[in-house]
Amino acid sequence: MPDALLWLPLGLSLIAAGLAALWGLPTVNRRLTNTRAAWLLALMPLAAFLFLLFRLPPVLAGSGLIWRQAWMPSLDITATLYLDGLSMLFALLVSGIGTLVVIYSGYYFRGDAGAWRFLCYLLLFMTTMLGLVLAGDVITLFVFWEGTSVTSFLLIGYKTKDEEARRGAFKALFITGGGGIALLAGLLFMAVLAGGTDYATLLHRRDVLISTPLYPVVLGLIAFCAFTKSAQTPAHIWLPAAMVAPTPASAYLHSATMVKAGVYLLARLYPALGGTELWFAVLTVFGLLTMLTGAYLGLKQNDLKALLAYSTVSQLGAMVMLVGAETAVAFKAVIVGILAHALYKGALFLLVGIVDHETGTRDLRRLGGLRGTMPRTAIVTIPAALSMAGLPPLFGFLAKETLLASVTHPQLPPLIGTLLTAAAVMAGALLLAQAGLLLSDVFFGRPRDPHIHGHEPPRGMLVAPAILTALSLILGLLPEPIPLATLIAVAAKAAYGATVKVSLAIWAGITVPFVLSIVAVSLGGLIWGFRHPLRRRQEALWPWLRLDAVYEGVWQGLMGVARLSTRSQAGQLRRYLILMLLALTTMMLLWGDLPRPTTLGSEPLDDLTLLRVFTLVLATGAAALSIFLVRDFFAILALSVSGLGVAVIMALEPAPDVALVQIVVDLLSVVLLTLALAIIPREQRRRAWEFTFRQTRWGLVRDGLIAGAGGVAIAILTLAALIARPRTSIVTPYYEANAKSLAGASDIVGAIIVDFRGFDTLIEILVFSLGGLGVFALLRYATRRERRQAEMLLASSAGENPSLAPGTSELHDKLVMGIGGIRPSPFIRMLAQVLLPLMMVVAIVQMMYGHEQAGDGFTAGVIISLIIAFWYVAFGYEETRRQLPWLQPFPLVGMALTLALGNGLVAAMLSGSFFGRVDYGQWLGLGLPRGFSFSSSFVFELAICLTVLGGVALMLAALGHPQDKR
Amino acid sequence: MLDLLKALTIGAMFGIGLFQLLRRNVIRSAIGLMVLTNAVNLFLLMTGAYRGRVAAYVTLSGERSDALPQALVLTAIVIGMAGFVLVLAMLYVLALRYRTADADDIDELKH
Amino acid sequence: MHTPHLVILPILIPLVGATMGMLLWRRRRWQAFTSAATLLLSLLGAVLLLVSVWRQGPLVFQLGGWPAPFGISLVGDLTAATFVVMAQVVLMTGLIYALGCHDRCVLYPVFYPLFLFLTASLTGSFLTGDIFNLFVFAELMVIAATVLTALADDRSGVEAAYKYFYISLLASILWLSAVGSLYASYGTLNMADLARRLAADPSPPLVPAALVLMTVFFMIKGAVVPFHFWQPDFHAAAPTAVSAMLSSVVVKLGIYGFLRMTTLLFQPQASLLRDWLVAFGLVGVFFGGLTALGTHNLKRMLAYSTLAQIGFILVGIGWGTPLALSAAVVLTINHSLIKAALLMLAGAMASRAAVKSAAFANLVGLGKGAPFPGVLFFLGGMTLAGIPPMNGFVGKLLLFRSGILAAAYPALAAVGVAGILTLLYVTRAFQTIWWEPAPAEAKTKAGGDRLLAPALLIALCLLLGLWAEPLLALADAVSASLLNPSAYIHAVLGS
């Protein structure tokens, strides 16, 4: 039935966590001692515990409480909380033991100002753990499941300075995180197969789930996750490593609550997935293995916490095994076992924490005879240890009885039954021996290490363990604690599906289990008697057999592969380019499916053919020449020749506008390349040249092959495009039809550039001006930084590279004279003086009539810029700047862009669409000479021209004068 | 026939460009970039739909060349130019920074 | 107000801002102010566009009033609008970071104009409906990013920019060839028109080549293994405010391209393309995860992890089911937010170190004095690893679910295995910086870059995790609109 307050326990513990964080504030922290703060914080989990107790009656009556909150409707995922017997039992444990642990940690961290962090993490963990057990649908379950992993990571790594703590936390997160991913996949599989995420639907689709071929996958994923969380062999290795956590955390997470999450998951999903051969096999095998491994390794340990950890592993194994066994009594045994284990193991951890805290060690080989100095602690410990040993009249005895009863259940196949029985007896015996070891070697006997003097902890510190111990004592002694029995029954029923009869009487007469437990006890006593030789023998036996080593190996291997894969990022551009081009070639070969032209084209020869052939050869030849010419300068000249050849090819296409631009660009780039050449020190270039062909022949072949492949591909594409001529173009006819009427231009290309696709051009000039800005900025700021470095270097190693040193004569010449360093003749200077205005006029005309003839703003801009370049050559940097004050790069570009955008906007206002075309001349009613139109296009051309001018001015200013003095 | 020659030319220039691009001498690889750009511009021009006899002017009659690719090539040329200049600037700074014009020595960022 | 002009606002406003910035080049304070103001304005415009498009369907702006396919059309359909908003939100935070950081390069008068040009170009390449116009925008983006990186305080900035620029020029050459091939095949450049004609007749000989060339172009843009080589160097060396943008939103151009290619442009070849994407995605997922684990520098780690995250997204696109597509969209948005935040945090920590470098060796134990960035980084890492309740979890959930529904079990298994790598490298980085004790001689600078921007982003991630419904609804709407290309085509061409 619905319960609007079911979220309250989570809310309370979350608030508590928030308060703990607040307590971290220095002002609060100073006023509040740890113990007091802990007592206050403990009220919250206590409240949660009480809240749950109040919800006990309906749950015992067998009805589950549900709380729903829409979360992701479009995936029909609702956050659901669900409280039935099983979750009730766990929730009570979590909140109850949580309360005690919080109180305990207050004492454990006495005087540690950082304790707030621990308590904050702990309470966060409590929230997630409560959420995990209260979750009512698999997504909510997963959310909190991951939450427990993360928070436990924080708790294990609490002592961050400690290398071991970091490793342990990482290991735990690695393993449980891996489980988490498996869980998500498994749960989603279930949800998809069953068609719903909440238990209500999921748990009633067993028939669907176990009948699909995917069932093994689902079960595998879920089981894997549960095993990682519940520390089943071989994933158990994280649990002992997690013992570096502060003891309260170990007591809470690694005995009472989190490690049981796996068992909870399996028990919870049993109705949906359980009851099959596979289920039985997987769970029993792993459970059995884990039970024995844990029990065996536990006896070997010298560290008390490690000993407890391994016995926990053993117990978890037993529980998993029981969930696999799928009989009513087995589920009873699981529930009782969980309860009993939580009580005594929690207590023992806390007590070990006390011993550690008061004596400063947990090493069995150094402790001993503490009953004298720590009588109270001893008194509290004894019943807990006996309960662990499974001796009457403690609750642990009951747990062992039910365990034995379920492994001797007639429903099991005889052979397996005996196997399980033997294993259970063995494990029980070993656990008893360990409990004995714990008691005898810590509290009894004589002190082994004279330096260790334990003393009693403050009373408050004993409260928590005392309560837990008392519980396992009382629950054992009480004749038939009815409500508890019903709770266990309800819980077992929730997991098992059918009713489970539960009686908690200690004395059930002489039964098979009883006999078996007598056997176990006597065997355990024997082991205990011979513990020292046995433990020494264990030490000697297979020292190399360590699962941690396997984990380490995996981790190291992973890191090795990782480091190796970073080697691919070798840092050399050429390698990158080559690899990319190879990949591209491969893709082309696999999927490119290049056309196989049948004809070689049918373009008829005309009177220009000879010229065409000549230019084609020229362009290619010059380009090829640029490879082999030794002097870079000649190579550049070859490049420019090839560029001009290309221009002629374009002109013959015929595409006069393109050819024009190609020519000016070619000239401009040659000028700039030469400038760049002038500022890159010669001997550096010489050294680089030596490398040009000096590399492995294989390298040359490889590059040649790549180049060849690329060339062939493009050639084929070109041929395929050419022989298909003439084709139909969708867009061009429109341009041809409307260039004059709509764009007022007879030059169709110009019309496209400025009107039809004007936006392209706008962005294009942005790119161009940005190029200019980039060059300017680079050579101003980056260079300045580098030069500082260079000067430092030069200061150290004098004149190793003179051309870099500022203020050398070469540089001086560049400043006061032309870039060439030679003072040009007066004639040249006069020429420059005259040419500038002339060219400006030419440029203006260019733009005015650009729509009628070839040429446009770009060409105009470049023309002016070239003259300015000429000025740089003729007058040198300083004088040019002095004589042409308007040559301010930033404002020029800025104004140009303002013009372009403004023009677009005005056009938008007049013609209704951004970049629309408006004839301002008409609009203003100006009478203008024929063929000259003052339209938005003209303004745009002007903007282009200015941009180019600004951009080129920037480039020239930068390249012409890199060594700025500012 | 002429088509084939054009195709071969463009292919050859493209190949030369790639080869130059992969040289260790940074000036050469810059040259390669330029050649490559030229080749691609030509290719773009060749994708025009018509076998042009006369330039794309409204005033001219006859089989006009396709105007659109020309417009695209114009844009591409200008952009290529800007990029080329930027490359030069970077090369200069690199020469200062690494004291080399050998592309393979410029490998401080790796792994 | 459902007017086409909404489409051009997010491009135009940053351009205007950049121009103003250039005119104000001597007044740095004003420059910064106007830039922030304009970017905020255009962000508002973008949000307006998204809302309007989501409510009333796609908007198309025919530039210059020329009818499609003859002019250039800007298409604001739901996908584009979503990407634009995503990009501009992140770019806004980037600007905020730049305002509060101690880099010298943000003082240069070119910084803010370039940043706005970056914004405009990225927005434009999302919004344009014309393949050549896309090329032009992409070039603008490349140049802006290159210069911004070359100016980095980090002396290796120029090297990184140089490598990036060369590889990008190669990419644009490929794109131009693709444009040529497509024009030669169909005689048009308008995406909608192309899509229509290509669907009608995929036979022309140049089409497969064009497909490969375009794919490679977008793979270079999106840093898809093995076309990723520019990315780690570039993103590690750029100024923090910039690298946060590059590794988060700028690479998303590739993702956008693949979404368009598979659902609009190359419908006949879509199934083939999807198979490649899954393959490349899986390679990237493992390669990225491993390299991120193996590298020696926090920023590089984050850059490598981008390779892996892009891989996850590609797998989603490759599966191609409606759910998988919305998974891809959600993953894209999440990754943009979180990767920006993490890189900012990395930069902030580096700015606290004595030597400004993000090398782990340099950052060990720096976190001791800085718990707040620690919390942010931890949350961010959990987001990246898809741990609830951060929004990364939503993406992971969707991806897994769609994989199961698409019955792509092997790929799903691979994705799952690779997923653990994320957790590993994030955790390792966190432990190194915030848990390991600092070496004795290490000393930290007082106060680093401001943390407002990453805090905002992380908060957004948490919000979108707890209240994921809007994100999911948007993603579903986007994938629906993607799978209905005829609406796009109709909106552009009419009739």
Side-chain angles (χ1 to χ4, degrees):
Chain A
M1 56 188 177
D3 177 349
L5 290 180
L6 207 51
W7 54 269
L8 204 56
L10 281 77
L12 285 169
S13 46
L14 192 60
I15 293 168
L19 291 177
L22 272 183
W23 175 42
L25 299 174
T27 51
V28 191
N29 207 326
R30 248 182 276 107
R31 293 200 176 68
L32 210 55
T33 65
N34 289 4
T35 41
R36 201 168 292 134
W39 278 102
L40 290 177
L41 285 174
L43 293 177
M44 290 288 182
L46 184 63
F49 183 75
L50 295 175
F51 170 85
L52 289 162
L53 279 185
F54 280 122
R55 290 288 185 273
L56 206 42
V59 171
L60 290 186
S63 65
L65 304 175
I66 295 190
W67 175 85
R68 279 209 177 77
Q69 167 64 44
W71 187 19
M72 306 182 204
S74 54
L75 294 174
D76 61 40
I77 290 174
T78 51
T80 317
L81 295 183
Y82 180 67
L83 183 65
D84 66 351
L86 193 58
S87 11
M88 175 59 95
L89 183 87
F90 274 92
L92 284 175
L93 282 178
V94 172
S95 51
I97 298 183
T99 315
L100 297 177
V101 168
V102 169
I103 297 170
Y104 176 90
S105 1
Y107 294 92
Y108 186 86
F109 286 102
R110 242 169 315 161
D112 172 357
W116 66 273
R117 203 160 56 85
F118 179 82
L119 281 170
C120 182
Y121 294 163
L122 193 76
L123 289 157
L124 275 178
F125 167 80
M126 188 187 298
T127 317
T128 53
M129 192 65 210
L130 278 171
L132 194 162
V133 295
L134 289 180
D137 69 287
V138 288
I139 300 300
T140 317
L141 174 77
F142 177 78
V143 168
F144 288 113
W145 185 281
E146 293 286 66
T148 55
S149 302
V150 172
T151 43
S152 70
F153 164 80
L154 292 172
L155 282 166
I156 298 170
Y158 175 72
K159 295 183 219 129
T160 54
K161 291 214 175 357
D162 176 1
E163 169 79 31
E164 282 310 309
R166 295 196 298 269
R167 286 175 170 282
F170 190 81
K171 189 190 266 184
L173 192 62
F174 188 175
I175 293 175
T176 53
I181 288 179
L183 180 65
L184 182 59
L187 292 178
L188 283 175
F189 265 113
M190 289 178 71
V192 168
L193 291 171
T197 56
D198 59 347
Y199 295 148
T201 45
L202 217 52
L203 299 187
H204 298 99
R205 293 293 179 80
R206 180 165 181 279
D207 45 358
V208 186
L209 288 169
I210 68 171
S211 57
T212 58
L214 286 172
Y215 173 69
V217 180
V218 178
L219 177 57
L221 290 166
I222 298 288
F224 174 73
C225 173
F227 291 170
T228 52
K229 198 81 162 180
S230 278
Q232 299 298 298
T233 312
H236 71 266
I237 53 175
W238 70 265
L239 187 52
M243 287 302 133
V244 293
T247 309
S250 316
Y252 191 39
L253 278 66
H254 307 128
S255 73
T257 57
M258 186 179 81
V259 287
K260 298 213 175 67
V263 181
Y264 170 81
L265 179 69
L266 292 172
R268 178 55 84 188
L269 296 181
Y270 174 82
L273 297 174
T276 64
E277 300 293 325
L278 193 59
W279 174 276
F280 176 73
V282 173
L283 268 62
T284 314
V285 169
F286 277 94
L288 191 71
L289 208 61
T290 313
M291 183 171 71
L292 292 175
T293 326
Y296 171 80
L297 290 175
L299 189 66
K300 185 174 165 182
Q301 305 303 322
N302 292 319
D303 177 352
L304 283 174
K305 279 180 84 173
L307 183 149
L308 291 178
Y310 277 108
S311 67
T312 308
V313 170
S314 161
Q315 287 296 306
L316 292 168
M319 292 170 197
V320 169
M321 183 181 84
L322 289 170
V323 176
E326 64 202 29
T327 57
V329 57
F331 275 88
K332 174 193 168 189
V334 173
I335 305 297
V336 176
I338 288 171
L339 191 53
H341 180 258
L343 292 179
Y344 71 71
K345 193 56 68 71
L348 283 175
F349 262 112
L350 296 178
L351 290 160
V352 166
I354 292 177
V355 171
D356 186 10
H357 206 265
E358 305 302 331
T359 64
T361 179
R362 305 194 301 250
D363 191 336
L364 272 173
R365 288 160 304 186
R366 299 178 58 201
L367 292 164
L370 289 178
R371 77 178 179 291
T373 50
M374 308 174 67
R376 285 203 221 89
T377 317
I379 290 167
V380 179
T381 315
I382 292 167
L386 292 183
S387 177
M388 171 178 169
L391 292 176
L394 290 131
F395 199 58
F397 172 72
L398 206 63
K400 201 173 66 184
E401 288 292 289
T402 41
L403 166 62
L404 291 168
S406 51
V407 290
T408 52
H409 193 280
Q411 200 172 308
L412 292 171
L415 184 65
I416 299 174
T418 34
L419 183 63
L420 295 186
T421 316
V425 170
M426 193 62 217
L430 282 162
L431 283 188
L432 182 136
Q434 291 169 33
L437 185 67
L438 185 67
L439 277 182
S440 57
D441 292 28
V442 174
F443 291 100
F444 297 93
R446 40 188 170 50
R448 288 179 187 64
D449 186 336
H451 308 298
I452 289 178
H453 323 285
H455 40 74
E456 282 294 359
R459 283 200 172 72
M461 200 167 185
L462 273 169
V463 169
I467 292 177
L468 291 175
T469 318
L471 275 174
S472 33
L473 195 57
I474 296 163
L475 294 183
L477 288 175
L478 278 187
E480 289 296 316
I482 295 307
L484 183 66
T486 16
L487 175 58
I488 291 175
V490 175
K493 179 172 185 295
Y496 183 55
T499 338
V500 178
K501 183 169 59 59
V502 176
S503 84
L504 297 177
I506 286 287
W507 178 251
I510 308 286
T511 56
V512 183
F514 184 70
V515 179
L516 283 173
S517 63
I518 290 176
V519 177
V521 168
S522 35
L523 186 57
L526 210 60
I527 297 174
W528 177 73
F530 292 99
R531 58 185 184 277
H532 297 306
L534 273 174
R535 277 156 57 82
R536 252 180 265 108
R537 182 65 50 78
Q538 275 183 308
E539 289 296 338
L541 187 62
W542 302 331
W544 45 265
L545 183 63
R546 285 178 54 254
L547 278 167
D548 293 345
V550 178
Y551 167 83
E552 280 303 318
V554 170
W555 172 244
Q556 292 305 337
L558 191 60
M559 284 310 287
V561 178
R563 296 226 173 72
L564 203 64
S565 55
T566 55
R567 297 284 153 209
S568 65
Q569 196 75 16
Q572 288 155 351
L573 177 62
R574 279 173 66 247
R575 277 186 61 171
Y576 298 165
L577 288 171
I578 287 167
L579 286 169
M580 289 182 171
L581 287 169
L582 284 177
L584 170 61
T585 321
T586 330
M587 287 176 75
M588 264 296 183
L589 290 176
L590 286 181
W591 304 304
D593 184 21
L594 287 170
R596 292 164 202 70
T598 48
T599 74
L600 294 181
S602 58
E603 173 143 5
L605 307 181
D606 56 9
D607 46 0
L608 287 176
T609 305
L610 206 59
L611 181 57
R612 292 178 192 273
V613 175
F614 171 70
T615 48
L616 289 173
V617 176
L618 175 72
T620 325
L625 207 57
S626 72
I627 298 180
F628 300 103
L629 287 169
V630 178
R631 294 278 306 279
D632 286 327
F633 185 67
F634 292 146
I636 293 170
L637 287 186
L639 169 69
S640 73
V641 172
S642 146
L644 291 176
V646 170
V648 182
I649 298 176
M650 290 167 165
L652 290 171
E653 195 42 31
D657 316 66
V658 188
L660 193 56
V661 172
Q662 170 70 24
I663 290 171
V664 291
V665 164
D666 191 58
L667 294 178
L668 193 54
S669 37
V670 169
V671 169
L672 291 166
L673 196 47
T674 325
L675 289 178
L677 210 56
I679 55 184
I680 295 183
R682 188 170 289 103
E683 66 278 7
Q684 285 183 17
R685 297 202 317 268
R686 208 197 58 248
R687 232 178 294 130
W689 162 254
E690 289 166 2
F691 287 119
T692 305
F693 285 107
R694 187 195 302 166
Q695 49 182 304
T696 59
R697 177 167 290 101
W698 152 239
L700 284 175
V701 173
R702 176 200 57 208
D703 297 357
L705 284 178
I706 294 174
V712 170
I714 288 291
I716 293 178
L717 292 184
T718 319
L719 192 56
L722 281 174
I723 59 180
R725 280 176 167 181
R727 283 187 306 275
T728 55
S729 167
I730 306 300
V731 284
T732 313
Y734 175 88
Y735 299 141
E736 295 184 334
N738 300 322
K740 193 70 190 168
S741 53
L742 297 185
S746 51
D747 175 358
I748 303 170
V749 178
I752 298 176
I753 286 285
V754 187
D755 291 309
F756 296 114
R757 297 183 66 91
F759 194 59
D760 273 348
T761 316
L762 174 68
I763 308 299
E764 166 209 318
I765 62 171
L766 286 182
V767 173
F768 192 85
S769 53
L770 237 59
L773 273 181
V775 177
F776 184 76
L778 263 173
L779 295 186
R780 165 146 303 170
Y781 305 115
T783 313
R784 190 186 299 161
R785 192 181 58 220
E786 292 313 326
R787 183 159 303 101
R788 234 181 276 114
Q789 298 283 345
E791 279 160 13
M792 278 185 253
L793 260 149
L794 282 170
S796 57
S797 64
E800 164 225 330
N801 201 339
S803 65
L804 277 177
T808 54
S809 65
E810 177 189 354
L811 201 62
H812 178 73
D813 295 349
K814 275 189 190 168
L815 289 187
V816 293
M817 301 186 241
I819 282 171
I822 19 96
R823 179 172 294 277
S825 66
F827 169 70
I828 301 276
R829 293 159 153 265
M830 190 195 66
L831 192 62
Q833 301 272 21
V834 177
L835 274 179
L836 183 60
L838 193 67
M839 283 305 173
M840 285 188 172
V841 175
V842 173
I844 302 289
V845 176
Q846 268 270 344
M847 284 184 283
M848 285 179 173
Y849 292 90
H851 263 43
E852 302 306 320
Q853 305 301 330
D856 56 3
F858 181 79
T859 335
V862 177
I863 290 174
I864 303 181
S865 320
L866 279 173
I867 289 307
I868 290 167
F870 186 41
W871 273 57
Y872 277 114
V873 178
F875 297 99
Y877 183 80
E878 300 298 340
E879 194 173 345
T880 314
R881 276 312 187 74
R882 209 170 34 252
Q883 295 204 14
L884 308 175
W886 48 268
L887 199 62
Q888 282 293 343
F890 274 92
L892 268 179
V893 176
M895 270 158 47
L897 296 189
T898 323
L899 203 56
L901 292 171
N903 178 35
L905 289 170
V906 173
M909 284 165 208
L910 297 181
S911 76
S913 83
F914 185 74
F915 259 87
R917 183 169 190 285
V918 187
D919 192 329
Y920 297 129
Q922 264 176 15
W923 186 64
L924 297 169
L926 306 174
L928 293 168
R930 204 195 129 282
F932 165 48
S933 69
F934 175 62
S935 68
S936 56
S937 320
F938 173 72
V939 181
F940 191 38
E941 295 272 19
L942 198 61
I944 299 176
C945 172
L946 282 177
T947 328
V948 175
L949 188 53
V952 180
L954 279 163
M955 296 172 189
L956 290 170
L959 285 170
H961 180 256
Q963 336 280 41
D964 63 312
K965 291 182 300 309
R966 277 199 290 124
Chain B
M1 198 55 227
L2 200 56
D3 288 342
L4 180 63
L5 191 59
K6 281 180 184 170
L8 290 180
T9 310
I10 294 174
M13 285 184 71
F14 197 85
I16 293 168
L18 278 180
F19 187 79
Q20 285 279 59
L21 192 71
L22 298 179
R23 295 305 91 207
R24 288 173 68 170
N25 180 339
V26 289
I27 296 282
R28 299 307 170 115
S29 76
I31 290 178
L33 213 52
M34 202 67 183
V35 177
L36 209 52
T37 322
N38 284 340
V40 168
N41 289 338
L42 275 180
F43 167 69
L44 209 51
L45 196 63
M46 296 304 165
T47 57
Y50 314 130
R51 184 179 297 132
R53 290 268 159 274
V54 299
Y57 286 76
V58 179
T59 46
L60 303 177
S61 59
E63 198 181 353
R64 296 198 195 95
S65 58
D66 191 345
L68 181 70
Q70 301 182 30
L72 303 189
V73 173
L74 271 178
T75 312
I77 290 176
V78 177
I79 288 177
M81 158 90 194
F84 182 67
V85 180
L86 194 56
V87 168
L88 292 183
M90 285 194 281
L91 287 184
Y92 171 57
V93 180
L94 286 172
L96 276 180
R97 165 85 167 76
Y98 294 84
R99 308 300 207 76
T100 180
D102 175 1
D104 282 5
D105 289 355
I106 305 172
D107 61 351
E108 206 164 80
L109 295 164
K110 60 175 94 166
H111 307 326
Chain C
M1 50 174 283
H2 191 64
T3 147
H5 284 88
L6 275 178
V7 182
I8 198 166
L9 282 185
I11 305 175
L12 203 53
I13 298 175
L15 285 184
V16 174
T19 315
M20 286 161 69
M22 287 220 234
L23 293 174
L24 294 169
W25 67 299
R26 287 185 192 283
R27 308 233 182 302
R28 185 184 166 274
R29 197 171 296 282
W30 285 82
Q31 217 187 23
F33 172 72
T34 48
S35 313
T38 39
L39 190 46
L40 190 60
L41 206 62
S42 81
L43 175 58
L44 291 181
V47 173
L48 213 60
L49 171 69
L50 177 61
V51 172
S52 164
V53 167
W54 198 355
R55 289 240 185 82
Q56 288 146 296
L59 282 170
V60 180
F61 185 83
Q62 308 290 8
L63 275 155
W66 309 107
F70 308 113
I72 294 173
S73 353
L74 298 179
V75 189
D77 75 334
L78 194 53
T79 318
T82 311
F83 273 75
V84 168
V85 171
M86 173 190 86
Q88 296 211 342
V89 166
V90 176
L91 283 153
M92 187 71 221
T93 57
L95 197 64
I96 294 174
Y97 186 91
L99 290 171
C101 80
H102 294 105
D103 291 357
R104 204 184 309 111
C105 58
V106 302
L107 302 176
Y108 302 152
V110 285
F111 183 85
Y112 289 104
L114 282 172
F115 199 89
L116 287 176
F117 277 129
L118 187 67
T119 313
S121 54
L122 188 58
T123 315
S125 11
F126 288 145
L127 283 175
T128 185
D130 181 288
I131 53 175
F132 188 79
N133 192 238
L134 177 62
F135 158 78
V136 184
F137 270 121
E139 282 301 304
L140 185 61
M141 193 170 85
V142 167
I143 292 212
T146 308
V147 177
L148 280 170
T149 306
L151 293 178
D153 294 5
D154 181 345
R155 288 185 67 223
S156 313
V158 184
E159 177 189 344
Y162 166 75
K163 292 174 180 173
Y164 168 64
F165 198 61
Y166 257 63
I167 293 173
S168 304
L169 287 183
L170 192 66
S172 11
I173 282 167
L174 300 182
W175 183 260
L176 278 181
S177 325
V179 169
S181 313
L182 283 181
Y183 179 74
S185 312
Y186 296 106
T188 177
L189 299 172
N190 181 300
M191 287 188 195
D193 201 17
L194 270 174
R196 194 179 55 181
R197 298 180 186 281
L198 202 148
D201 163 29
S203 63
L206 293 180
V207 172
L211 175 63
V212 172
L213 290 168
M214 277 196 169
T215 313
V216 173
F217 171 82
F218 282 124
M219 283 186 169
I220 293 178
K221 290 294 164 199
V224 176
V225 183
F227 298 97
H228 66 284
F229 290 104
W230 58 274
Q231 193 252 18
D233 300 352
F234 193 52
H235 294 178
T240 305
V242 179
S243 67
M245 304 302 107
L246 299 174
S247 192
S248 60
V249 286
V250 172
V251 290
K252 294 301 186 301
L253 177 56
I255 298 302
Y256 178 80
F258 287 126
L259 285 174
R260 284 286 185 229
M261 282 178 77
T262 48
T263 60
L264 177 71
L265 269 178
F266 288 94
Q267 291 169 52
Q269 297 89 338
S271 59
L272 175 67
L273 186 54
R274 291 204 169 102
D275 298 347
W276 306 350
L277 290 184
V278 174
F280 278 102
L282 290 180
V283 174
V285 163
F286 278 100
F287 183 84
L290 285 172
T291 39
L293 197 57
T295 188
H296 55 81
N297 175 310
L298 181 55
K299 274 191 168 186
R300 290 182 81 84
M301 182 195 93
L302 294 169
Y304 281 124
S305 104
T306 299
L307 305 182
Q309 301 293 323
I310 294 286
F312 286 118
I313 300 171
L314 284 191
V315 171
I317 300 177
W319 284 339
T321 62
L323 191 62
L325 281 182
S326 47
V329 173
V330 170
L331 284 171
T332 308
I333 295 173
N334 291 349
H335 176 254
S336 302
L337 300 176
I338 197 57
K339 188 50 64 73
L342 285 174
L343 271 161
M344 288 173 186
L345 287 169
M349 290 318 285
S351 73
R352 286 161 195 271
V355 190
K356 191 174 189 309
S357 148
F360 282 127
N362 190 37
L363 295 180
V364 174
L366 263 186
K368 276 285 164 276
F372 180 54
V375 175
L376 290 181
F377 190 91
F378 190 73
L379 290 177
M382 292 303 115
T383 314
L384 205 58
I387 304 286
M390 309 302 289
N391 63 344
F393 164 66
V394 183
K396 197 162 89 175
L397 185 69
L398 275 170
L399 190 65
F400 276 44
R401 198 190 175 97
S402 56
I404 292 171
L405 288 172
Y409 303 128
L412 185 63
V415 166
V417 174
I420 188 69
L421 289 172
T422 319
L423 194 59
L424 292 185
Y425 61 72
V426 167
T427 316
R428 208 161 128 275
F430 176 74
Q431 285 192 327
T432 316
I433 301 174
W434 277 275
W435 279 11
E436 275 185 32
E441 71 282 4
K443 48 186 177 302
T444 66
K445 280 205 231 90
D449 300 348
R450 299 268 171 75
L451 292 168
L452 174 61
L456 285 175
L457 286 168
I458 298 281
L460 195 53
C461 288
L462 186 56
L463 180 68
L464 287 179
L466 292 173
W467 187 42
E469 190 48 26
L471 185 58
L472 288 168
L474 177 62
D476 289 348
V478 169
S479 74
S481 78
L482 277 170
L483 292 171
N484 176 16
S486 57
Y488 180 101
I489 295 172
H490 181 81
V492 177
L493 300 173
S495 69

